[in-house]
């Protein structure tokens, strides 16, 4: 395999599909995040989400405990000369700690029975009702965010694997760029569609230079336009013809070109019918000219097929002498002759 120069290239999308674009100097960023609080909470990292979950309970226990403490203080429940015929708002609550424990017992419905609200104090009754309603809504929100994060199709997309390198060789007489994709679970992915975006700097006809210009890259599976189901590792290909944004690419300029090929797989999960999306990207150093993927699907004596992932990223030099010699002009003449 040809030795590749280990150059550091800027990426928009990492190999595992994460966005690597940093957003700076956005006015009112906090306000924007709070305006869509549901998405903000769902997108939180787990350590922040667990902190939010714990603090939601602790803070509501403490806040309403303080309210009950001030209600008792205003009612004179803590006076040492409290008359025997006078009923306290919250019975057996004499300190802030006792008020906190009463708030905890009420919200979690533990009900030890030692501390309770008397019917002589309407304000305490109203506060208790407000606590149960407000904290119930807060618990629903936080629990729903937990379930939404666990059930996100993003986790299913992490079990979709792309080949580390893309290869360029001839397929069915045409020069093609190929990418291998595999489903790591036994559950099927149906209605699979692989699309690509070719990202590079560009100068418009008006002389304006754009840092990133996007061009669509179509990927196919064999000769059919139907969406395959991903049960076996599949190889998708893109034809490098005059309609391709990668036209003019050859073994020499591949080493010096500055671009990024973003590849996205959209699929439907058979078990839940939810859609998932997985993506990766390839820079020129990860595209191999004149190579093809080694076979990784084998049959056993028991009549079963085995997908050996030891060969998933393995490539070999193509036997096509025209591609190896990088004779693109001869390739074009051959294709034109077949069209005639």
């Amino acid at each position: 395999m040809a030795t590749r120069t280990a150059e550091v290239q800027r990426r928009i999308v990492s190999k595992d599909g994460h966005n690597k674009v940093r957003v700076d100097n956005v006015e009112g960023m906090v306000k924007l995040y709070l305006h869509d609080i549901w998405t903000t909470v769902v997108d939180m990292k787990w350590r922040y989400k667990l902190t939010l979950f714990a603090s939601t309970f602790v803070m509501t226990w403490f806040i309403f405990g303080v309210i009950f403490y001030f209600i008792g203080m205003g009612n004179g429940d803590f006076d040492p000369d409290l008359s025997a015929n006078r009923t306290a708002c919250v019975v057996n609550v004499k300190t802030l700690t006792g008020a906190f424990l009463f708030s905890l017992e009420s919200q979690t419905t533990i009900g030890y029975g030692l501390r309770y609200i008397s019917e002589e104090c309407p304000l305490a009754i109203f506060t208790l009702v407000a606590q149960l309603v407000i904290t119930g809504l807060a618990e629903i929100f936080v629990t729903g965010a937990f379930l939404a994060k666990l059930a996100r199709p993003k986790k299913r997309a992490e079990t979709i694997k792309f080949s580390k390198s893309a290869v360029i060789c001839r397929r069915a007489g045409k020069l093609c760029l190929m990418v291998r994709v595999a489903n790591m679970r036994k559950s099927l992915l149906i209605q699979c569609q692989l699309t690509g975006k070719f990202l590079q700097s560009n100068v418009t006809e008006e002389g304006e230079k754009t840092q990133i210009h996007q061009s669509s890259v179509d990927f196919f599976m064999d000769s059919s336009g139907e969406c395959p189901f991903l049960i076996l590792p599949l190889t998708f290909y893109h034809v490098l013809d005059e309609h391709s944004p990668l036209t003019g690419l050859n073994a020499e300029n591949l080493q010096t070109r500055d671009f990024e090929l973003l590849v996205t797989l959209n699929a439907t999960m058979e078990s839940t019918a939810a859609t998932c999306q997985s993506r990766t990207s390839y820079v020129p150093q990860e595209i191999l000219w004149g190579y093809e993927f080694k076979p990784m699907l084998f049959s056993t004596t028991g009549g079963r097929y085995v997908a050996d992932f030891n060969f998933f990223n393995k490539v070999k030099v193509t036997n096509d002498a025209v591609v190896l010699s990088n004779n693109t002009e001869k390739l074009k003449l051959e294709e034109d002759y077949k069209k005639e």
Side-chain angles (χ1 to χ4, degrees):
M1 185 181 297
T3 304
R4 295 265 168 169
T5 57
E7 298 180 0
V8 178
Q9 281 231 346
R10 293 184 298 272
R11 285 183 183 269
I12 293 179
V13 176
S14 63
K15 292 296 289 182
D16 56 359
H18 290 92
N19 183 9
K20 297 196 68 177
V21 178
R22 190 179 67 184
V23 180
D24 281 342
N25 303 321
V26 179
E27 186 177 354
M29 175 67 79
V30 176
K31 183 179 179 181
L32 292 174
Y33 273 72
L34 292 178
H35 184 70
D36 187 12
I37 187 66
W38 173 256
T39 304
T40 302
V41 174
V42 172
D43 288 341
M44 275 184 178
K45 294 183 178 179
W46 278 110
R47 55 180 176 270
Y48 301 131
K49 193 180 293 292
L50 291 172
T51 302
L52 175 65
F53 184 80
S55 61
T56 299
F57 285 97
V58 175
M59 290 302 297
T60 53
W61 294 338
F62 179 75
I63 290 172
F64 281 96
V66 171
I67 295 175
F68 284 118
Y69 180 77
F70 281 116
I71 291 175
M73 181 183 294
N75 193 50
D77 296 347
F78 307 145
D79 295 340
D81 56 347
L82 183 66
S83 60
N85 59 351
R86 185 179 176 185
T87 305
C89 277
V90 184
V91 180
N92 294 324
V93 170
K94 300 297 183 181
T95 62
L96 181 60
T97 303
F100 173 79
L101 291 174
F102 171 74
S103 175
L104 185 153
E105 294 166 13
S106 300
Q107 187 171 327
T108 57
T109 66
I110 294 176
Y112 289 128
L114 178 65
R115 304 174 185 90
Y116 58 92
I117 291 180
S118 66
E119 58 187 27
E120 303 295 333
C121 191
L123 181 59
I125 297 174
F126 174 80
T127 303
L128 177 61
V129 173
Q131 177 185 9
L132 297 180
V133 172
I134 294 173
T135 56
L137 292 174
E139 291 172 13
I140 291 172
F141 181 86
V142 176
T143 305
F146 258 80
L147 294 177
K149 191 173 182 66
L150 287 172
R152 291 174 76 182
K154 180 180 178 181
K155 295 300 179 182
R156 180 63 177 90
E158 292 177 356
T159 57
I160 300 173
K161 188 174 183 179
F162 292 91
S163 57
K164 292 182 179 179
S165 302
V167 298
I168 296 178
C169 62
R170 282 214 290 184
R171 180 175 183 138
K174 297 179 180 179
L175 189 64
C176 299
L177 181 144
M178 301 185 188
V179 175
R180 180 177 273 177
V181 185
N183 176 20
M184 307 299 291
R185 287 183 177 270
K186 288 188 175 181
S187 58
L188 291 181
L189 290 173
I190 58 178
Q191 297 296 316
C192 299
Q193 290 183 329
L194 192 72
T195 59
K197 290 291 182 182
F198 184 70
L199 310 175
Q200 66 173 351
S201 59
N202 183 51
V203 179
T204 64
E205 296 180 357
E206 293 76 19
E208 180 184 358
K209 183 176 182 181
T210 57
Q211 188 74 15
I212 299 295
H213 177 74
Q214 300 186 28
S215 303
S216 296
V217 178
D218 298 323
F219 282 88
F220 302 94
M221 177 65 194
D222 297 328
S223 59
S224 65
E226 298 180 358
C227 301
F229 60 91
L230 198 58
I231 187 173
L232 298 172
L234 300 178
T235 301
F236 292 84
Y237 66 90
H238 167 72
V239 180
L240 300 178
D241 55 12
E242 63 274 9
H243 304 293
S244 170
L246 284 79
T247 185
L249 195 67
N250 54 53
E252 282 77 20
N253 61 25
L254 178 60
Q255 307 293 329
T256 58
R257 293 279 295 270
D258 183 16
F259 65 86
E260 182 178 354
L261 178 61
L262 172 61
V263 178
T264 304
L265 179 73
N266 295 289
T268 301
M269 294 182 287
E270 184 189 37
S271 55
T272 62
T275 58
C276 66
Q277 185 181 91
S278 182
R279 66 186 70 88
T280 189
S281 72
Y282 299 94
V283 294
Q285 288 74 19
E286 296 166 346
I287 300 178
L288 308 178
W289 183 282
Y291 287 82
E292 59 185 3
F293 291 112
K294 288 185 177 181
M296 61 172 296
L297 189 64
F298 306 96
S299 58
T300 63
T301 55
R304 300 185 64 182
Y305 288 103
V306 176
D308 191 348
F309 277 86
N310 287 327
F311 295 92
F312 183 76
N313 292 307
K314 297 293 181 64
V315 296
K316 62 179 180 180
V317 179
T318 182
N319 296 325
D320 196 330
V322 178
V323 176
L324 290 176
S325 63
N326 193 32
N327 196 339
T328 53
E329 185 65 26
K330 184 175 180 181
L331 280 171
K332 188 175 185 304
L333 290 174
E334 287 184 3
E335 292 179 6
D336 293 340
Y337 176 77
K338 291 178 180 178
K339 290 180 182 178
E340 294 176 358

